[in-house]
């Protein structure tokens, strides 16, 4: 029997990420018939987020080259050890050269690099932990300022820097951009888990859709981005991008917020959006620039829109509606929508989450924790999670974020025209619509009065060894310990991993609320000199000892 020739069959494979993005595009078309998201918003090549970093392996940890001499050098014959006289073209002791050990590149999981990064979390006395965190390398073009001439000019006769102090470039040729985030959920873990798994993906996709260009490379006309010169004090850095697509996508996003939520968002104008009338120029060419701050603001608002849209499409649990008026919990003042996006569980999730994200970009392949490496720190923050820097010179804690509470004058002036009543609870804290935070992801029932995910964004240019370490923490720590206490505890630790554990342990020991506590410690260039500035760790040592004794006092429970 003669078989027929095999026919080639082409199979198209779809990943979970592809299906997820297809549902997102369908949802945009469902909610807005006038504004449609272009089909080419997603890049053809999928960007990837890695929980490891790539670096050159130190020479001391490499094995000898197996292609080298089989016998040890001390067993060479006596005649082979005479000095080279130059009479022959090669030395008598010439062997096959060893492989260049400096070219060995390895992947190191960031969470296993205890001397560079540490993270620890505790649920306290709560029945479960609603905090989450993320750390890794994000696929973004560099946004750092160009390196100064002293780091780029190779002087004659100077020894090159050891390869152990250099990281590896990404596929695009830029140095790696590191991503750290802490998320504090309330009402459940659905929102904080969603941000942990997807927020970095939205940032990557936004940068690709905006066609963000690197700040370290020249454009087609041979110019560098505006503000990228190290001698320039202009911030933010205006990088290249597709201005028409950026304007279109930003208008679609703002219109979707107005259509879906209304209320506060009817007159909503994002601070960093270029379509709102702000003129961004690149080398005198108006309207063709984009900043990394604009990327982050769009990604935060887009992520929040997807989460809120998914909850609006779900129905409440029928058992929870017993004894309640009809349509009491219909959010966004509209009927329940029939279509549902599988975000935040099966039932409608009414809670939310705060978030603090830190991005670090370097102008050279030298990693940001090297003492001679300058870097750019970009912080995007929503809610009351907190980020601190420790100054190497003074040893002082430098807060990079501020709490978005109703007691804040900036937040109060922003929201009083929408939320006429701010109430004070029994603990003396002001609340709005039952929430302690005026900015957060989720919280669908409070969106109309202005509880949005508009990020507070700060950019800090860090000089070599200017700061010792970076701390990201949830309000279970920042609400219990002072900023300087947190910094001093980390100073006494041998590694960032031990510092994160010590901070969480001390906070859970002295707290009275028992809230979830999460701490991330990131090593910076001045880590080895962290105890030299100011009073070292002695400034709060006595107060910390007193607080520990007070917490362990058996008579404390009687007070």
């Amino acid at each position: 029997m003669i078989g027929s020739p095999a026919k080639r069959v082409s199979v198209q494979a779809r990943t979970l990420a592809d299906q997820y993005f297809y549902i997102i595009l369908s949802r945009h078309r469902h909610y807005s018939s006038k504004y449609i998201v272009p089909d080419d918003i997603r890049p053809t090549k999928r960007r990837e987020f890695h929980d490891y970093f790539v670096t050159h392996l130190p020479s001391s940890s490499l094995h000898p080259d197996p292609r080298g001499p089989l016998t040890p050098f001390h067993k060479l014959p006596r005649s082979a050890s005479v000095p080279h006289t130059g009479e022959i073209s090669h030395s008598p002791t010439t062997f096959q050269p060893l492989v260049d050990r400096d070219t060995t590149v390895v992947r190191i999981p960031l969470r296993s690099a205890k001397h560079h990064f540490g993270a620890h979390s505790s649920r306290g006395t709560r029945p479960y932990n609603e905090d989450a965190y993320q750390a890794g390398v994000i696929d973004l073009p560099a946004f750092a300022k160009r390196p100064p001439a002293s780091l780029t000019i190779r002087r004659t006769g100077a020894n090159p820097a050891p390869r152990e102090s250099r990281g590896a470039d990404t596929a695009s040729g830029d140095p790696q951009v590191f991503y750290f985030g802490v998320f504090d959920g309330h009402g459940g873990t659905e929102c904080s888990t969603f941000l942990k798994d997807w927020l970095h993906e939205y940032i990557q996709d936004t940068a690709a859709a905006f066609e963000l260009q690197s700040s370290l490379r020249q454009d087609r006309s041979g110019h560098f981005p505006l503000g990228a010169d190290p001698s320039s004090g202009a911030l933010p850095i205006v990088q290249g991008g597709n201005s028409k697509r950026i304007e279109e996508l930003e208008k679609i996003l703002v219109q979707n917020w107005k259509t879906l939520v209304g209320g506060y968002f009817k007159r909503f104008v994002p601070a960093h959006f270029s379509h709102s009338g702000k003129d961004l120029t690149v080398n005198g060419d108006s309207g063709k620039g984009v900043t990394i701050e604009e990327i982050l603001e769009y990604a935060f608002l887009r992520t929040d829109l997807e989460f809120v849209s998914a909850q609006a499409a779900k129905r409440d649990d029928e058992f929870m509606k017993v004894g309640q008026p009809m349509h009491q919990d219909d959010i966004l003042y509209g009927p329940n929508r029939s279509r549902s996006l599988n975000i935040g569980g099966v039932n409608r999730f009414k809670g939310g989450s705060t978030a603090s994200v830190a991005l670090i970009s370097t102008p050279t392949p030298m990693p940001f924790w090297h003492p001679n490496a300058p870097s750019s720190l970009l912080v995007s923050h929503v809610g009351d999670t907190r980020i601190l820097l420790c100054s190497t010179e003074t040893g002082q804690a430098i807060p990079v974020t501020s709490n978005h509470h109703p007691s804040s004058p900036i937040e109060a002036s922003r929201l009083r025209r929408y939320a006429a009543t701010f109430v004070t609870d029994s603990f003396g804290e002001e609340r709005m619509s039952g929430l302690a935070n005026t900015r957060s992801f989720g919280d669908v029932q409070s969106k109309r009065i202005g509880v949005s995910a508009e990020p507070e964004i700060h950019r800090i240019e860090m000089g070599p060894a200017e700061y010792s370490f970076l701390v990201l923490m949830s309000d279970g720590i920042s609400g219990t310990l002072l900023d300087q206490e947190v910094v001093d505890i980390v100073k006494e630790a041998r590694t960032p991993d031990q510092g994160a554990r010590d901070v969480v342990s001390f906070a859970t020991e002295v707290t009275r609320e028992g809230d979830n506590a999460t701490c991330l410690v990131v090593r910076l260039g001045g880590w080895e000199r962290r105890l030299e500035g100011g009073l070292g760790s002695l400034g709060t040592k006595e107060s910390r000892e007193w607080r520990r004794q007070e917490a362990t006092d058996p008579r404390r429970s009687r007070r």
Side-chain angles (χ1 to χ4, degrees), residues 87-110:
E87 298 178 356
I88 55 178
S89 59
H90 61 276
S91 173
T93 57
T94 299
F95 295 98
Q96 184 177 2
L98 300 178
V99 177
D100 183 12
R101 296 180 176 182
D102 292 339
T103 60
T104 303
V105 179
V106 295
R107 297 176 177 178
I108 300 180
L110 190 58

Side-chain angles (χ1 to χ4, degrees), residues 30 42 104 129 140 171 176 182 209 218 274 353 398 405 457 464:
H30 174 70
R42 184 169 181 267
T104 303
N129 194 348
L140 281 182
Q176 301 171 98
V182 60
Q218 298 178 351
S274 59
S353 175
I398 302 176
H405 289 168
I457 302 176

Side-chain angles (χ1 to χ4, degrees), residues 80 124 141 162 171 187 216 251 285 333 335 395 425 431 443 449 518 555:
L216 307 178
K251 288 183 177 179
D285 193 359
Y333 294 88
D425 60 11
R431 292 182 177 269
D443 292 321
I449 59 176
T518 301
R555 296 172 295 180

Side-chain angles (χ1 to χ4, degrees), residues 132-133 180-184 354-356 385-386 472-474 518 520:
Y133 67 91
F180 305 95
V182 60
F183 314 102
D184 185 2
T354 61
S356 292
T385 45
R386 199 161 181 82
L472 298 87
M473 54 188 171
S474 62
T518 301
L520 281 67

Side-chain angles (χ1 to χ4, degrees), residues 34 96 101 108 174 219 237 264 297 397 452 465 486 497 530-531:
K34 182 178 179 181
Q96 184 177 2
R101 296 180 176 182
I108 300 180
D174 284 349
D219 55 15
I237 297 177
Y264 169 82
E297 185 170 29
S452 67
V486 174
D497 181 72
R530 62 190 181 278
L531 290 172

Side-chain angles (χ1 to χ4, degrees), residues 184 186 195 264-265 268 270-272 297 300-301 304 352-356 380-385 402-406 408-415 432 435-443 446-447 449-458:
D184 185 2
H186 48 268
L195 296 176
Y264 169 82
F265 292 94
F268 174 59
H272 297 279
E297 185 170 29
F300 269 55
L301 293 173
D304 192 28
S353 175
T354 61
S356 292
S380 187
H381 163 68
V382 168
D384 57 1
T385 45
S402 60
N403 293 333
H404 294 150
H405 289 168
S408 171
I410 297 178
E411 293 300 291
S413 61
R414 181 179 70 91
L415 296 172
M432 181 188 66
L435 299 176
N437 297 301
T438 56
R439 301 192 194 187
S440 67
F441 289 88
D443 292 321
S446 303
K447 286 300 177 186
I449 59 176
V451 179
S452 67
E454 304 170 61
E456 175 189 348
I457 302 176
H458 294 285

Side-chain angles (χ1 to χ4, degrees), residues 63 98 105 109 176 223 231 311 317 387 435 475 524 544:
H63 294 287
L98 300 178
V105 179
Q176 301 171 98
H223 297 90
S231 61
Q311 308 317 309
D317 189 356
I387 297 181
L435 299 176
D475 67 334
L524 298 179
R544 284 184 282 126

Side-chain angles (χ1 to χ4, degrees), residues 469-483:
F469 51 86
L470 177 74
V471 180
L472 298 87
M473 54 188 171
S474 62
D475 67 334
I477 296 176
S478 61
T480 302
L481 306 181
L482 300 177
D483 293 345

